Amino acid sequence: MNNIYRIPRPKTFNLSLCLDCGQAFRWTNKDNRWQGVAYGKYIEIEQTEKEIIFYNCTEEDFKNIWANYFDLQCDYEKIVSSYNDEHLKLAVKEYDGIRILRQEPWEALCSFILSQNNNIPRIKGIIERLCEEFGDGETGKKTFPSAEKLSRLTVEDLAPLRAGFRAKYIIDAAQKVANGEIDFKRINESPIDFGREELQKIKGVGAKVAECTLLYGFHKIDAFPVDVWVKRIMAEMYPNGLPECTKGTEGIAQQYLFHWRRMQDR
DNA sequence: ACCCAGGGTAACT
DNA sequence: AGTTACCATGGG
């Protein structure tokens, strides 16, 4: 915990919202710090009035991993202020600072395979058990297990996760990624439709899981995942489809609307 | 006991 | 091409 790296708080950046708006599942808050692992590194992060403070983080880690993870080079203020639609303006006003994280593709794929017909607290539990069982490193700081490692396991090996019918989908995804049948590099370099087709070759990956993987794992911000909450939003507010102002950044609009709509029911 | 959760598949019309 | 039961699990 020696290295500390501080930056001024960027505009349109809210750490808690970024990490706890239903796009990433491994972050936990303790003593006003968010703790988590990504790209093989454990980190603790705190937001103060004027700063974001990264603990256990060298300048190199910040530049190579975390600046990218939080999409800091992207001007969200510009994007979000272009939303001239009334519902979106409300969502942005109330939850300003949500950003689309650049998660690892494999972690995003697994996470959203596990998300199907499931709820967020349970998804978090399954992923935590997955990492504790098969990840590397210390307890509580384990890495997300690689596709190569999971590809050598069986459905029975995953029983402790209590993932239910989703376990067999994880194994299939791991095998197809590990043996190169699904090529992350090509998906990354290609337009979104290629990724849509490729990812849906995996058992248990349909349109929605593919869309989430492309948005959160490949940062295709024109992806637009439609889950039960977004279905409600579309039915209640956008019977004729999304407003024009979201063109090209549908995924970002989706994240604001998703979180906003979910918070209304509590 | 019933319904729902960041859905997908297979088996039906 | 469009519906529908079923899929494991756990919380409300």
Side-chain angles (χ1 to χ4, degrees):
Chain A
M1 216 58 63
N2 313 332
N3 295 297
I4 300 178
Y5 193 82
R6 302 161 179 269
I7 60 167
R9 188 172 76 81
K11 287 183 177 177
T12 314
F13 182 103
N14 183 307
L15 183 64
S16 296
L17 285 175
C18 288
L19 300 179
D20 199 22
C21 68
Q23 60 174 321
F25 301 98
R26 291 200 67 194
W27 294 93
T28 55
N29 193 297
K30 199 193 230 169
D31 304 327
N32 207 30
R33 285 190 197 177
W34 287 96
Q35 309 177 331
V37 180
Y39 296 89
K41 298 272 187 172
Y42 172 80
I43 195 168
E44 297 184 8
I45 316 174
E46 178 182 359
Q47 173 167 334
T48 67
E49 200 175 321
K50 296 185 173 175
E51 283 185 318
I52 311 296
I53 308 172
F54 299 81
Y55 300 88
N56 192 35
C57 175
T58 63
E59 179 174 358
E60 196 183 343
D61 282 347
F62 174 79
K63 289 184 172 161
N64 292 338
I65 299 174
W66 303 109
N68 182 56
Y69 187 82
F70 288 100
D71 203 17
L72 291 184
Q73 79 293 349
C74 178
D75 188 352
Y76 278 73
E77 191 187 19
K78 184 178 173 187
I79 293 170
V80 153
S81 66
S82 75
Y83 293 157
N84 55 18
D85 162 78
E86 291 308 316
H87 306 300
L88 266 165
K89 280 205 274 192
L90 259 179
V92 166
K93 185 176 180 183
E94 211 163 331
Y95 297 104
D96 181 60
I98 294 178
R99 289 166 166 258
I100 301 299
L101 303 172
R102 290 177 185 263
Q103 300 183 59
E104 294 172 85
W106 169 242
E107 178 173 344
L109 173 58
C110 275
S111 298
F112 285 94
I113 285 174
L114 294 169
S115 79
Q116 70 177 64
N117 198 32
N118 210 343
N119 57 63
I120 291 179
R122 252 197 100 237
I123 297 164
K124 288 179 176 172
I126 294 169
I127 292 173
E128 188 179 342
R129 293 189 286 278
L130 173 67
C131 296
E132 281 303 318
E133 285 275 341
F134 304 111
D136 296 324
E138 298 174 46
T139 302
K141 305 179 178 180
K142 299 246 185 182
T143 60
F144 196 93
S146 68
E148 288 71 22
K149 178 153 191 181
L150 296 184
S151 72
R152 288 181 239 112
L153 302 180
T154 64
V155 172
E156 295 77 59
D157 294 325
L158 299 187
L161 308 185
R162 284 167 284 157
F165 61 88
R166 307 166 191 88
K168 57 182 177 290
Y169 300 151
I170 294 295
I171 300 294
D172 187 60
Q175 290 173 351
K176 287 194 166 86
V177 170
N179 72 19
E181 200 173 328
I182 303 294
D183 186 347
F184 279 176
K185 191 163 174 289
R186 263 194 82 189
I187 293 174
N188 197 41
E189 294 164 350
S190 305
I192 191 166
D193 277 334
F194 177 76
R196 285 177 172 135
E197 287 188 20
E198 285 300 291
L199 291 169
Q200 290 187 54
K201 291 177 180 172
I202 299 164
K203 288 174 195 161
V205 176
K208 195 273 179 179
V209 172
E211 216 67 4
C212 285
T213 305
L214 291 164
L215 178 57
Y216 306 116
F218 292 93
H219 207 76
K220 310 276 188 199
I221 58 174
D222 52 338
F224 189 71
V226 178
D227 75 315
V228 293
W229 295 99
V230 176
K231 253 175 211 152
R232 280 171 201 144
I233 291 164
M234 298 309 287
E236 294 166 1
M237 304 170 202
Y238 303 114
N240 300 318
L242 278 178
E244 276 290 316
C245 59
T246 63
K247 192 175 278 291
T249 64
E250 291 88 343
I252 295 172
Q254 177 267 163
Q255 199 61 37
Y256 276 90
L257 291 168
F258 168 80
H259 186 66
W260 177 56
R261 183 62 183 80
R262 234 165 67 82
M263 292 302 109
Q264 281 188 334
D265 277 19
R266 351 215 120 221

